[in-house]
Amino acid sequence: MFSNIGVPGLILILIVALVVFGPNKLPEVGRAFGRSIREFKKATEGIADDIREEIKEDIKESKPDTINLKK
């Protein structure tokens, strides 16, 4: 996601954030951003797990319908 920013761009973003939020609020903003990213990852993992379970159930249901052709 941030692969095209580079070091100068990252430094510029940090300077702008420091000016906008100030040195006292910047740690709080960083913590809130980190919590938000963590919650987003948990939510996407939960959705991915639900999809995997549905696929497993569909596979289990479809296996008895197969025909043994080795007769």
Side-chain angles (χ1 to χ4, degrees):
M1 180 173 157
F2 296 110
S3 62
N4 295 333
I5 291 178
V7 175
L10 187 62
I11 292 172
L12 180 64
I13 290 171
L14 291 174
I15 291 172
V16 169
L18 186 62
V19 169
V20 170
F21 295 110
N24 296 332
K25 286 282 189 181
L26 198 57
E28 294 175 27
V29 171
R31 276 191 291 274
F33 182 72
R35 284 188 208 118
S36 300
I37 295 294
R38 193 176 319 120
E39 289 296 321
F40 179 76
K41 284 184 180 181
K42 284 181 186 178
T44 55
E45 287 174 4
I47 292 170
D49 290 341
D50 290 343
I51 292 171
R52 283 189 202 102
E53 288 298 319
E54 289 292 326
I55 291 172
K56 285 180 185 179
E57 289 174 11
D58 289 344
I59 290 172
K60 285 179 184 178
E61 289 175 3
S62 65
K63 281 191 179 183
D65 295 340
T66 59
I67 301 172
N68 190 358
L69 299 175
K70 293 184 179 182
K71 291 182 181 177

